[in-house]
Every structure is written in structure tokens, then in C-alpha cells.
Amino acid sequence: MIAGLFPLAYAAVLTCLLLQAFRMMLPSPASKASASNDRTGLKTTHPELLDENGEVTSEELWAVRFSSEGLVLPEA
């Protein structure tokens, strides 16, 4: 008799947990408001993209990759 209640209890707990998980994933009105407002109220730009006058540069951006060639590693 008790063995027959375990599947029902398991299904009830699983359903409650799934509902809680979906409820937590829903965006709240407070999270929408905070995501759209920056603390300064301005568009944030990385400082290295600005020139001497504070404007966004029109220069070509470069990427640098450092290899481990020539690197001396300590022996274990």
C-alpha cells in the first residue's frame, strides 16, 4: 500500500519543482528595468576605443595572440 504512494509523491514533488524552476526563470519587471538602465545613464564604451578627443576611433582594430613558443616551463 505504501509502495503505491511513492510514485504519486515522486510525481507531485517533481511537478512542484519544475513549476518553481520555470517560475524563477521568468523575467520579472524589476529585472527588465534594471537591465535597460545603466547606472550612469550613458552608453558605456571601452576606454581603449577612444581617441585623444574622447571620440570612438575609426582606426582598424588589431588582435594580438601570444604563443607559448620560447616560454621556459619549470620541470616537475
Side-chain angles (χ1 to χ4, degrees), residues 12-76:
V13 169
L14 181 66
T15 303
C16 290
L17 289 174
L18 282 173
L19 289 174
Q20 281 294 99
F22 284 118
R23 188 180 306 160
M24 289 182 66
M25 287 189 282
L26 287 175
S28 66
S31 68
K32 288 180 186 176
S34 66
S36 64
N37 294 334
D38 188 15
R39 62 185 167 97
T40 61
L42 303 172
K43 182 179 179 184
T44 306
T45 305
H46 199 281
E48 293 174 350
L49 294 175
L50 303 177
D51 61 8
E52 303 86 29
N53 302 326
E55 300 293 324
V56 177
T57 63
S58 59
E59 297 174 0
E60 183 178 344
L61 299 177
W62 290 59
V64 178
R65 180 177 173 205
F66 296 97
S67 67
S68 61
E69 185 177 321
L71 182 65
V72 178
L73 298 175
E75 294 183 19

